[in-house]
Amino acid sequence: MTERIDDLLPTAKEIQKQAALKEAEKADQHARAAAAAEAEKRALIEKLSKPSGLSEDDKVKLASSVIQRAVRNGLSEVQVYRFPNILCTDKGRAINQMEAGWEATLTGIPREIFQLWSDYLRPRGYRIRYQVIDFSGGMPGDIGITISWKTD
């Protein structure tokens, strides 16, 4: 009877050991998932920090398409891009403080969008606004880019 009980009912120490192994396995899975997510985020930031590779014509066509779709939906402005603050040399501080010269802190695609606006949209009366739209943990996070065509 002793053998049967031992086979059927492990000791509390053995159960604790099994539970600890399961807990370690869960922690390891969580760590691997977090590392994969972080690597994916770094890769995305790396991609966004470089030029898009689009020609000027393609950029203008894309801008036109986005604006026309917004107009068809009855809008007078449209958020055209959202990006992590790490794509600013000061992590979005100058944008958040609305400092003169904030555009000099832009890199990669956010800088391209500003240049596209400056070259093609501004002369046609469009306005652009970069603003921090996420304050995770009380600190500036993501930044949104909005193009508008409404006159005040």
Side-chain angles (χ1 to χ4, degrees):
M1 176 83 163
T2 306
E3 283 183 2
R4 281 182 105 196
I5 290 177
D6 288 344
D7 290 342
L8 294 175
L9 190 59
T11 67
K13 211 172 226 176
E14 290 169 340
I15 291 294
Q16 288 175 345
K17 204 183 290 184
Q18 289 175 10
L21 286 172
K22 282 287 184 195
E23 204 53 43
E25 192 176 301
K26 282 183 191 176
D28 187 48
Q29 286 175 348
H30 180 71
R32 280 196 305 268
E38 184 60 32
E40 188 175 307
K41 182 180 176 182
R42 279 193 309 272
L44 178 61
I45 288 171
E46 176 70 22
K47 179 181 176 187
L48 297 177
S49 67
K50 294 187 168 124
S52 66
L54 294 174
S55 70
E56 288 297 299
D57 283 349
D58 287 341
K59 291 177 197 176
V60 170
K61 286 176 187 172
L62 182 58
S64 174
S65 173
V66 169
I67 291 167
Q68 292 298 327
R69 184 172 45 243
V71 168
R72 282 193 303 274
N73 288 317
L75 302 174
S76 59
E77 66 179 24
V78 63
Q79 181 178 319
V80 295
Y81 206 66
R82 179 179 177 143
F83 63 94
N85 68 358
I86 196 79
L87 293 179
C88 294
T89 58
D90 67 349
K91 295 189 172 121
R93 187 193 59 74
I95 290 172
N96 192 43
Q97 299 300 316
M98 295 188 281
E99 290 179 4
W102 59 267
E103 61 276 2
T105 69
L106 300 172
T107 65
I109 293 175
R111 181 182 208 85
E112 269 188 51
I113 293 171
F114 185 84
Q115 194 62 53
L116 179 77
W117 169 78
S118 183
D119 292 346
Y120 302 103
L121 299 174
R122 182 159 96 181
R124 289 167 177 77
Y126 291 89
R127 290 180 299 179
I128 196 165
R129 182 175 69 244
Y130 282 64
Q131 76 182 86
V132 178
I133 57 175
D134 173 52
F135 285 90
S136 300
M139 298 299 290
D142 286 356
I143 297 170
I145 305 173
T146 303
I147 301 286
S148 65
W149 45 92
K150 183 171 81 172
T151 57
D152 291 329

